[in-house]
Amino acid sequence: MLKASLSREAFLILYKTVAMNTDTINSRILPQKKFLLQHPLYTKVKTIEDLRHFLEGHVYAVWDFMSLLKALQSKLTCTATPWLPVGNPQTRYLINEIVLAEETDLGLDGERQSHFEMYLDAMKDCGANTTAIESFLEDVVSTQNIFVSIKQSSLHDGIKAFLDFTFRVIEHGSPHEIAAAFTFGREDLIPSMFTEILRNFQKNFPEANLDKLIYYFERHIELDGDEHGPMAMQMISQLCGDDAQKWQEVEEASQLALEKRIGLWNAIEENILHHDMASI
């Protein structure tokens, strides 16, 4: 490999000449994003029962996204007293704007909810089981140690690895690495794809109430495409500036985040297949 044949200093000089913006990072992680968008999981979601199993696995990604966001808020804004201005005002605005929407958005019924609470309500409406995620969060409160809760849970190993990566980045990562997992590790095309899948389900299985689930995905498309996505890219640029090593670390964190997301999709696919076989 080219990287192995160069000293770190020489590699960073070369890296600086070819990768200095978010467009370049996007091009470098494109193969993983394409694989994620073509994952066989999507063809396995054929029945309402399959959809329920999907939601029961995906909910952990909905939940841990909030921890990435709050970690960024903690590192890039002042959340302590006495208050002092911290960092870049534009970055502070970005983080606080996303927190506002993610923690206290308007649900389908016009009431304020976090997106995680919206997702739980949508799960319940379509008959998915929320016991596992609720028990997991109770254990997180009980242990006061997320890594212990992940390890001792009965979750699929792929879901455990996904969560463990998120919280390792939060615990040990620099702000630009956390921002990378937040920005590039959460693909922006999946919501559009699943909105179409859900509309088809609504036609084929009219007895299932998917209104809140469709609203959740459509809300993400609206916010991520029009507001949060561009703002998050701007945040990455502000955090990395002209620092070649930071850009390299952003790329590495983004690739790892996507690998773990593919692992999560593999785990959900396996769970669906397992339940399908068990019903035969």
Side-chain angles (χ1 to χ4, degrees), residues 8 12 15-16 176 240 242-252:
R8 184 168 184 82
L12 289 175
Y15 192 94
K16 186 172 182 178
H176 60 278
C240 292
D242 294 329
D243 191 319
Q245 181 161 340
K246 286 184 177 180
W247 281 108
Q248 180 192 353
E249 290 167 352
V250 162
E251 181 185 345
E252 291 170 353

Side-chain angles (χ1 to χ4, degrees), residues 134-145 148-150 152-153:
E134 290 167 343
S135 297
F136 177 77
L137 296 187
E138 288 173 5
D139 191 69
V140 170
V141 173
S142 176
T143 65
Q144 293 294 297
N145 186 316
V148 170
S149 292
I150 293 169
Q152 70 186 18
S153 74

Side-chain angles (χ1 to χ4, degrees), residues 3 22 39 69 72 87 89 94 96 109 155 182 199 209 213 215 217 219 226 230 235 247 259 270:
K3 181 177 177 181
T22 55
H39 197 285
L69 176 58
L72 285 172
L94 161 68
N96 288 329
D109 58 4
L155 294 170
F182 175 87
R199 286 201 181 104
N209 187 349
L213 199 56
Y215 176 84
F217 280 111
R219 187 68 179 135
D226 298 339
M235 171 179 64
W247 281 108
E259 285 175 16
E270 189 176 315

Side-chain angles (χ1 to χ4, degrees), residues 104-199:
T104 56
D105 203 3
L106 285 173
L108 184 61
D109 58 4
E111 297 295 322
R112 293 285 176 188
Q113 283 184 307
S114 69
H115 283 191
F116 172 69
E117 290 164 317
M118 281 186 200
Y119 200 85
L120 285 183
D121 280 355
M123 287 177 68
K124 292 171 183 175
D125 271 11
C126 73
N129 193 333
T130 60
T131 301
I133 179 65
E134 290 167 343
S135 297
F136 177 77
L137 296 187
E138 288 173 5
D139 191 69
V140 170
V141 173
S142 176
T143 65
Q144 293 294 297
N145 186 316
I146 183 61
F147 300 106
V148 170
S149 292
I150 293 169
K151 185 175 181 179
Q152 70 186 18
S153 74
S154 59
L155 294 170
H156 188 290
D157 286 345
I159 298 177
K160 287 185 178 183
F162 175 83
L163 291 172
D164 187 79
F165 169 77
T166 296
F167 288 96
R168 297 287 172 192
V169 170
I170 288 171
E171 186 167 286
H172 302 295
S174 300
H176 60 278
E177 292 172 306
I178 300 173
F182 175 87
T183 302
F184 296 107
R186 305 296 171 136
E187 68 295 328
D188 54 4
L189 298 178
I190 295 283
S192 298
M193 180 180 295
F194 264 93
T195 300
E196 291 308 310
I197 291 173
L198 291 172
R199 286 201 181 104

Side-chain angles (χ1 to χ4, degrees), residues 72-90:
L72 285 172
Q73 187 181 40
S74 176
K75 288 180 179 291
L76 300 177
T77 74
C78 183
T79 58
T81 55
W83 179 87
L84 294 169
V86 173
N88 184 301
Q90 186 63 26

Side-chain angles (χ1 to χ4, degrees), residues 92-109:
R92 294 198 302 261
Y93 172 79
L94 161 68
I95 293 300
N96 288 329
E97 182 75 10
I98 297 177
V99 168
L100 179 66
E102 292 287 342
E103 269 195 323
T104 56
D105 203 3
L106 285 173
L108 184 61
D109 58 4

